């Protein structure tokens, strides 16, 4: 039988524990990545239903959003806009995800929203906006921490 020095044995045990921890972290990442599209869909459903209880779970308390009036809003201000009927859309609102990148427990998604507002100066007009959403994975769930969206005309190419 081989004799292993105590420090070497402890080092081997530490390496094994770290390897197990890394394997679990990679498994968590794969599971977390699979949960992101469901979180994004849940936000869309909650906005359409004006479900502030669901949004409270899906949006970080520190959420920042660029609004259609070109101002930066906090989560509470967006909740106020929902309550005031300023985030009402006709059926058929879509988000086409074009890319998602993961940076540790943060994900950045980019794509296009297509929607028809039922309020404001563009009421009834089909609009397109480029959107970037920043998500953070914490306590086993994704929460939206920031959103930027810009209305644009898809027929206009700038370069």
């Amino acid at each position: 039988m081989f004799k292993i020095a105590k420090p070497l044995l402890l080092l081997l045990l530490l390496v094994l524990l770290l390897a197990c921890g890394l394997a679990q972290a990679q498994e968590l990442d794969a599971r977390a990545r699979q949960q992101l599209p469901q979180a994004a869909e849940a936000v869309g459903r909650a906005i359409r239903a004006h479900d502030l209880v669901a949004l409270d779970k899906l949006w970080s308390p520190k959420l920042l959003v660029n609004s259609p009036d070109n101002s930066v809003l906090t989560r509470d201000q967006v909740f106020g806009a929902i309550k005031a009927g300023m985030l009402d859309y006709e059926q058929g609102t879509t988000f086409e995800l074009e890319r998602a990148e993961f940076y540790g427990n943060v994900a950045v998604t980019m794509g296009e929203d297509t929607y028809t507002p039922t309020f404001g100066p563009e009421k009834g007009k089909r609009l397109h906006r480029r959107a970037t959403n920043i998500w953070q994975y914490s306590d086993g769930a994704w929460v939206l921490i920031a959103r930027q969206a810009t209305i644009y005309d898809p027929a206009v190419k700038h370069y």
Side-chain angles (χ1 to χ4, degrees):
M1 183 152 219
F2 295 102
K3 278 192 160 185
I4 299 177
K6 205 174 211 177
L8 184 57
L9 181 61
L10 289 173
L11 179 63
L12 286 172
L13 285 173
L14 180 62
V15 169
L16 283 171
L17 287 172
L18 285 174
C20 290
L22 287 174
Q24 288 176 345
Q26 289 172 348
E27 181 182 325
L28 176 65
D29 288 342
R31 188 171 45 243
R33 288 174 188 229
Q34 293 171 352
Q35 293 172 348
L36 183 58
Q38 290 86 9
E41 290 171 13
V43 167
R45 282 192 308 274
I47 288 173
R48 287 188 295 276
H50 298 184
D51 186 347
L52 300 183
V53 172
L55 290 171
D56 188 59
K57 295 175 186 170
L58 293 161
W59 286 352
S60 166
K62 295 181 179 182
L63 175 72
L64 292 177
V65 175
N66 274 320
S67 76
D69 72 355
N70 297 316
S71 63
V72 177
L73 302 178
T74 64
R75 181 177 83 162
D76 290 341
Q77 290 170 317
V78 177
F79 282 164
I82 291 170
K83 290 174 185 175
M86 297 170 64
L87 287 177
D88 286 329
Y89 306 110
E90 292 179 9
Q91 294 294 328
T93 297
T94 62
F95 178 72
E96 181 181 330
L97 177 65
E98 293 177 28
R99 183 138 186 185
E101 290 291 334
F102 296 86
Y103 307 91
N105 70 332
V106 173
V108 177
T109 62
M110 293 184 173
E112 179 183 40
D113 292 327
T114 305
Y115 67 104
T116 305
T118 60
F119 63 94
E122 284 132 342
K123 177 180 178 179
K125 182 179 176 185
R126 191 77 169 156
L127 299 176
H128 301 267
R129 60 185 171 200
R130 301 297 302 164
T132 300
N133 297 308
I134 303 173
W135 298 84
Q136 184 174 34
Y137 192 76
S138 178
D139 297 325
W142 288 103
V143 292
L144 190 65
I145 59 175
R147 174 173 168 78
Q148 192 286 323
T150 303
I151 297 171
Y152 81 107
D153 180 349
V156 176
K157 301 294 182 202
H158 295 279
Y159 56 89

